[in-house]
Amino acid sequence: MTDSPDLVLRDGRITTLDAATPDVQALAIKDGLVQAVGTTDDIMRTAVPGTKVIDLGGRRVIPGLNDSHTHLIRGGLNFNMELRWEGVPSVADALRVLKEQAARTPAPQWVRVVGGWSEFQFAERRMPTLDEINQAAPDTPVFILHLYGRALLNRAALNVLGFDKSTPNPPGGVIEKDASGHPTGLLLAKPSALILYSTLARGPRLPVEDQINSTRHYMREMNRLGITSVIDAGGGGQNYPDDYDVIQRLHDAGELTVRIAYNLFAQNAGGELGDYERWISMVKPGAGSSLLRMNGAGENLTWSAADFENFLEPRPDLAPTMESELEPIVELLAANKWPFRIHATYDESIDRFLTVFERVNGKQAFDARLIIDHAETISDRNIDRIKALGGGIAIQHRMAFQGEYFVERYGAEAAQATPPVSTMLAAGLPVGGGTDATRVSSYDPWVALFWLTTGQTLGGLPLYGESNTLDRETALRVWTEGSAWFSGEADVKGTLAPGKYADLVVLSADYMAVPPQEIRRINSVLTIVGGDVVYGEGSFADLSPPIPPASPDWSPVNTVPSPAQRAEVGGETKHARACADGCNSHCGVHGHDHMIAWNNPLPVSDKNAFWGALGCSCFAA
């Protein structure tokens, strides 16, 4: 009796990613671990009267998805305040939800649209104009972040911030002003995104109790999308231990529904070495539990090593002092056997980092994970150097949002391997999938899996040929087994093999079989973490744990469908269909066929025709 399973899942199509038994019908769970896999008949023979049995009804099951580079801890503190534009099909729809949210939002709060969208997803193929934003929200401050390059503020936000004719440009940023010298509402990263993030940080914060509620809702959103684990890459303004209090409180209360391994991000320019010396005396990698554990250093090790991912601007050269500032930090981490990760967009940056790492490794051999984050333009030579150091690369779907800009600046040929995922895998390098959410890319892993398997941007631009796109199983493995390496948990995560965590997802549609465009509409109908149901919908809704409404009560989370709340309406997915996949309906505002926009080439080479005054007239009108 003591060996009988606690839970059995039967009659499914289970992709285990375990070579011994790759496809099975049923799975038994005991004490939070996978106990056995096999046919429904075989697994049901192990059940006893006290065993809970869930009939999967033939649905596809996969190992829980694991985002190897995201910012859940910071994102959770703000999630309930943010309006999401993921999947919104037109500028008209985006402005409508903005107007509705502005009417709900009380003073002194702002409406924030922070990441997850691209103007190329809109039928109009343009950004909203500042005039449109001001018309939609004349009185409530609005902050809209667009990729790593710009933010759009309405007049109410400019007034609250005190931006006027006398406000100077900060280093690396531009406050655009009109002919009379008044701010227009456009902030530009030139190339530093500090102007964008520092302005966002001036908005009101939620009280701690609302931050706790917000983080719970963000984790529920992750669970809806099939995410059971993440690696949190820290972030600017995310100080340890103070800004980890909310996530620690949730852990201690038994309310974490996502496994989190977190990195510590150096905060103080010029004092980064001191940050790590202090943290090494406070905590060790692996400290914590299977649900919340410390993972090492990064993604920022020293500010002088930070290159920029803004493809609207030329590639910046790192400071000549970078090596002398980075090396003692890496020496300290190596001596204390701390894993570390470092942000690196460009091969030129990676080349310089690796020279430092090789020098340190020659004196103190690395005995922990070395991780390069992003690596969009990495060369074959530097892939080999990372392999020789025993390192891995964490990739994200940032090109799905910025591919058009990269092509405009560097050309279509250069974009064909950004990043060269197939080459990394062929070299035998650990590769983990991720999003880099929430401030730019969407936290939706299905957008990333769509990008990996089709090579397309959100706007439908093909970036890669077959040589740099992945088959669906390989892409899934990158997002599960691959990501597990980056937190040192490959022995317990990533496949549904006996003895590993019972972290798994029952899908709304068969990822292995649906047409390519439908991959990004998939969500979870049942998510299990450590043998416990953390989310259910549809026929599994009665298994879903309750969660209080989002607070405060004006939160967009209570009203606006999120990427993971894709309610079926008339056979279509609300707020989630891309016009590029065959939409022939007419827009109620403009009265046009959406495909008119999608069938015309992008006029990105003519900035005046495309952007005008930050947005062309809607040519679909």
Side-chain angles (χ1 to χ4, degrees):
M1 293 291 290
T2 57
D3 292 332
S4 60
D6 303 318
L7 174 64
V8 164
L9 305 181
R10 58 170 293 164
D11 295 325
R13 287 176 288 177
I14 302 175
T15 298
T16 70
L17 297 181
D18 178 27
T21 50
D23 295 288
V24 298
Q25 293 177 311
L27 178 148
I29 296 169
K30 176 72 173 176
D31 296 332
L33 304 177
V34 176
Q35 184 184 48
V37 298
T39 66
T40 292
D41 288 344
D42 287 343
I43 297 301
M44 285 303 297
R45 289 190 192 102
T46 69
V48 298
T51 300
K52 184 175 181 61
V53 178
I54 297 176
D55 191 325
L56 300 172
R59 289 189 179 275
R60 177 69 62 184
V61 180
I62 61 171
L65 299 176
N66 184 352
D67 191 327
S68 66
H69 183 117
T70 190
H71 300 274
L72 183 152
I73 295 172
R74 183 181 65 193
L77 302 179
N78 301 290
F79 180 69
N80 281 3
M81 294 191 293
E82 295 176 355
L83 178 67
R84 310 303 304 182
W85 276 357
E86 280 100 328
V88 175
S90 70
V91 171
D93 286 309
L95 291 168
R96 174 181 55 77
V97 296
L98 178 68
K99 181 176 182 178
E100 292 169 352
Q101 184 56 43
R104 284 190 294 270
T105 304
Q109 291 292 340
W110 300 5
V111 178
R112 298 163 167 87
V113 180
V114 184
W117 65 281
S118 161
E119 73 273 31
F120 301 108
Q121 80 192 40
F122 296 143
E124 298 91 340
R125 297 297 244 186
R126 66 175 180 90
M127 293 173 62
T129 68
L130 289 167
D131 283 346
E132 289 172 327
I133 293 166
N134 280 302
Q135 289 170 14
D139 303 314
T140 306
V142 171
F143 177 99
I144 301 173
L145 181 67
H146 179 243
L147 303 178
Y148 299 93
R150 68 193 85 206
L152 287 69
L153 281 64
N154 67 350
R155 282 188 290 271
L158 292 174
N159 291 336
V160 166
L161 291 163
F163 285 4
D164 57 24
K165 295 176 69 172
S166 64
T167 305
N169 291 327
V174 171
I175 301 170
E176 186 188 72
K177 297 179 180 177
D178 62 20
S180 301
H182 297 285
T184 64
L186 177 62
L187 308 182
L188 296 171
K190 288 283 188 176
S192 171
L194 180 62
I195 184 176
L196 312 181
Y197 299 151
S198 61
T199 303
L200 176 62
R202 293 177 62 181
R205 300 182 67 178
L206 291 174
V208 170
E209 289 307 312
D210 287 341
Q211 291 179 0
I212 291 171
N213 176 281
S214 178
T215 302
R216 288 190 66 189
H217 275 273
Y218 190 34
M219 290 189 296
R220 175 62 62 101
E221 180 80 349
M222 300 289 96
N223 298 149
R224 283 191 187 107
L225 288 165
I227 293 176
T228 59
S229 289
V230 302
I231 304 176
D232 188 288
Q238 190 173 320
N239 281 287
Y240 182 83
D242 294 350
D243 293 307
Y244 293 73
D245 177 62
V246 165
I247 206 71
Q248 187 66 53
R249 287 168 65 170
L250 286 166
H251 171 270
D252 295 346
E255 293 178 336
L256 288 188
T257 62
V258 176
R259 300 185 193 273
I260 302 168
Y262 59 86
N263 285 73
L264 302 186
F265 182 112
Q267 297 294 322
N268 303 303
E272 300 95 336
L273 181 60
D275 282 342
Y276 286 116
E277 287 174 336
R278 183 173 68 260
W279 291 333
I280 282 171
S281 71
M282 296 171 63
V283 67
K284 295 184 183 301
S289 73
S290 64
L291 284 169
L292 183 64
R293 62 201 300 269
M294 207 282 277
N295 194 48
E299 67 180 293
N300 184 47
L301 298 178
T302 175
W303 287 100
S304 60
D307 68 4
F308 302 104
E309 53 281 277
N310 177 11
F311 298 137
L312 289 166
E313 294 293 321
R315 178 186 65 82
D317 287 320
L318 299 179
T321 59
M322 184 275 292
E323 284 85 352
S324 63
E325 294 173 6
L326 178 62
E327 188 161 342
I329 295 170
V330 176
E331 287 179 336
L332 175 71
L333 298 173
N336 288 274
K337 300 182 180 180
W338 268 47
F340 64 89
R341 63 193 311 158
I342 191 165
H343 165 106
T345 299
Y346 296 98
D347 188 59
E348 290 84 351
S349 304
I350 295 169
D351 193 73
R352 290 175 63 180
F353 297 158
L354 291 176
T355 299
V356 172
F357 298 162
E358 288 164 345
R359 190 158 55 239
V360 174
N361 185 62
K363 296 180 288 185
Q364 170 72 56
F366 294 151
D367 192 25
R369 295 177 303 284
L370 177 164
I371 299 164
I372 301 293
D373 283 308
H374 316 312
E376 273 85 0
T377 70
I378 190 169
S379 63
D380 292 356
R381 170 178 173 269
N382 283 334
I383 288 174
D384 291 340
R385 293 171 75 191
I386 295 169
K387 175 78 179 296
L389 287 168
I393 300 177
I395 61 166
Q396 302 81 40
H397 62 314
R398 305 191 309 179
M399 286 294 289
F401 295 85
Q402 296 199 95
E404 287 85 354
Y405 295 131
F406 189 97
V407 169
E408 174 68 9
R409 178 168 295 280
Y410 299 110
E413 184 176 353
Q416 288 178 7
T418 50
V421 185
S422 295
T423 302
M424 297 173 188
L425 292 171
L429 212 62
V431 178
T435 63
D436 203 9
T438 58
R439 286 183 168 175
V440 175
S441 300
S442 172
Y443 51 74
D444 188 342
W446 299 101
V447 175
L449 287 161
F450 165 80
W451 164 76
L452 280 170
T453 54
T454 68
Q456 295 180 24
T457 68
L458 280 179
L461 178 68
L463 293 174
Y464 321 126
E466 290 185 8
S467 63
N468 200 42
T469 53
L470 305 183
D471 65 80
R472 297 188 192 192
E473 181 176 316
T474 301
L476 179 61
R477 196 177 293 278
V478 165
W479 259 86
T480 52
E481 188 177 35
S483 292
W485 180 89
F486 291 78
S487 58
E489 297 177 287
D491 58 332
V492 291
K493 287 183 184 177
T495 66
L496 296 176
K500 291 196 172 183
Y501 292 150
D503 298 350
L504 56 92
V505 184
V506 184
L507 300 179
S508 60
D510 189 350
Y511 165 71
M512 295 297 182
V514 296
Q517 291 292 338
E518 293 185 17
I519 290 173
R520 51 183 168 164
R521 298 180 190 162
I522 293 173
N523 64 277
S524 171
V525 295
L526 181 68
T527 304
I528 293 175
V529 176
D532 294 325
V533 174
V534 295
Y535 177 71
E537 68 174 50
S539 60
F540 304 108
D542 60 340
L543 302 175
S544 195
I547 187 170
S551 62
D553 58 8
W554 52 263
S555 169
V557 173
N558 286 324
T559 309
V560 182
S562 74
Q565 293 171 310
R566 296 166 167 173
E568 293 293 325
V569 179
E572 291 297 340
T573 304
K574 187 178 184 181
H575 281 323
R577 76 186 319 283
C579 298
D581 62 13
C583 171
N584 290 312
S585 63
H586 293 273
C587 172
V589 176
H590 299 122
H592 69 281
D593 270 345
H594 293 174
M595 287 304 293
I596 290 175
W598 295 96
N599 287 333
N600 278 277
L602 293 177
V604 290
S605 60
D606 184 352
K607 292 296 198 304
N608 291 327
F610 186 60
W611 294 111
L614 190 65
C616 64
S617 299
C618 179
F619 63 83

